[in-house]
Amino acid sequence: APRKTPEPTPAPSNDAQASRQSSPSTNAPTLAPTQSCASTCTNTSALFNVSITEATGRGMPYWRPSTQPALGEYDEDVTAAIIIQHGDFEYATDFVCYVWNMLRMEFVNETQWGARIHVIAPQFWAQDEQSVEHTVWSAHAHESTLWWQDASAWMDGGASQEFAGNRVSSFSVYDEIIAKLGDMRIYPNMKTVILSGFSAGGQFIQR
């Protein structure tokens, strides 16, 4: 998907849309634009199996740092996870970089925290948004992923497009992701899961 000039950097917090207090510039470093951001963190996409994956062959797309195990793989090192939700007309791949670089600025020694914090950025594809940007919706490009008819549907917790007679709501997708992160058989030392979002993604998290 084409990259756009990034919006202001999201700030993950326990309150997805907690207002950011003003502070001196020395205490509030600004992330580089997306093009530079991508050069300082390497990310990758994957599919997360949800309740209807077996029946439909479709998974929930998400992005993560390439050094991080896939969601649902056993990991005894991780103690915290940050889920960052993109907004309207935004792309999850960018927000993985934003959060990763924020962590790099906050915690100097990446070797100490890199394995203990997972960053997960779900990607809600919406036909109306992609049609506007690409003129023609490419069903082939999304033949293995869940997608929503329009952006307002996933933002409000609505059901996905129907696949083989099955649908899943965006809220249910999050329920399943959080349940997976809370599974002590997979993440025995997980202590904290932070939900965060930017713009419409923040509204979604609040809902």
Side-chain angles (χ1 to χ4, degrees), residues 73-94:
E73 289 187 9
Y74 179 82
D75 191 339
E76 62 183 13
D77 294 325
V78 64
T79 60
I82 300 174
I83 304 177
I84 175 67
Q85 184 55 57
H86 66 80
D88 197 12
F89 284 100
E90 298 290 344
Y91 298 98
T93 178
D94 295 327

Side-chain angles (χ1 to χ4, degrees), residues 15-176:
D15 269 324
Q17 288 194 306
S19 59
R20 177 179 296 180
Q21 301 297 318
S22 60
S23 57
S25 58
T26 55
N27 295 326
T30 303
L31 282 180
T34 301
Q35 290 78 3
S36 298
C37 177
S39 68
T40 58
C41 73
T42 304
N43 52 35
T44 186
S45 62
L47 292 175
F48 174 66
N49 291 342
V50 296
S51 56
I52 68 170
T53 296
E54 184 174 353
T56 64
R58 294 173 179 267
M60 179 63 194
Y62 71 98
W63 288 79
R64 58 181 170 84
S66 59
T67 56
Q68 173 184 305
L71 179 57
E73 289 187 9
Y74 179 82
D75 191 339
E76 62 183 13
D77 294 325
V78 64
T79 60
I82 300 174
I83 304 177
I84 175 67
Q85 184 55 57
H86 66 80
D88 197 12
F89 284 100
E90 298 290 344
Y91 298 98
T93 178
D94 295 327
F95 286 87
V96 169
C97 264
Y98 295 155
V99 172
W100 193 253
N101 279 280
M102 178 196 70
L103 292 170
R104 288 166 61 99
M105 289 186 292
E106 183 69 22
F107 306 107
V108 176
N109 194 341
E110 185 177 327
T111 59
Q112 293 184 3
W113 59 262
R116 298 202 303 269
I117 303 177
H118 281 191
V119 180
I120 300 160
Q123 176 68 63
F124 286 104
W125 293 118
Q127 182 176 6
D128 64 332
E129 291 182 337
Q130 298 305 303
S131 294
V132 169
E133 292 202 347
H134 305 303
T135 306
V136 178
W137 169 256
S138 174
H140 176 72
H142 300 279
E143 61 185 5
S144 62
T145 69
L146 298 173
W147 52 272
W148 276 251
Q149 189 68 37
D150 54 75
S152 62
W154 73 258
M155 291 176 193
D156 291 332
S160 66
Q161 179 69 12
E162 184 175 312
F163 306 106
N166 295 272
R167 297 176 183 265
V168 64
S169 76
S170 54
F171 288 167
S172 292
V173 167
Y174 256 70
D175 286 343
E176 295 186 37

Side-chain angles (χ1 to χ4, degrees), residues 71-73 75 78 180-181 183-190:
L71 179 57
E73 289 187 9
D75 191 339
V78 64
K180 184 66 68 174
L181 291 170
D183 189 338
M184 302 302 289
R185 296 168 300 178
I186 301 173
Y187 302 109
N189 296 307
M190 182 71 77

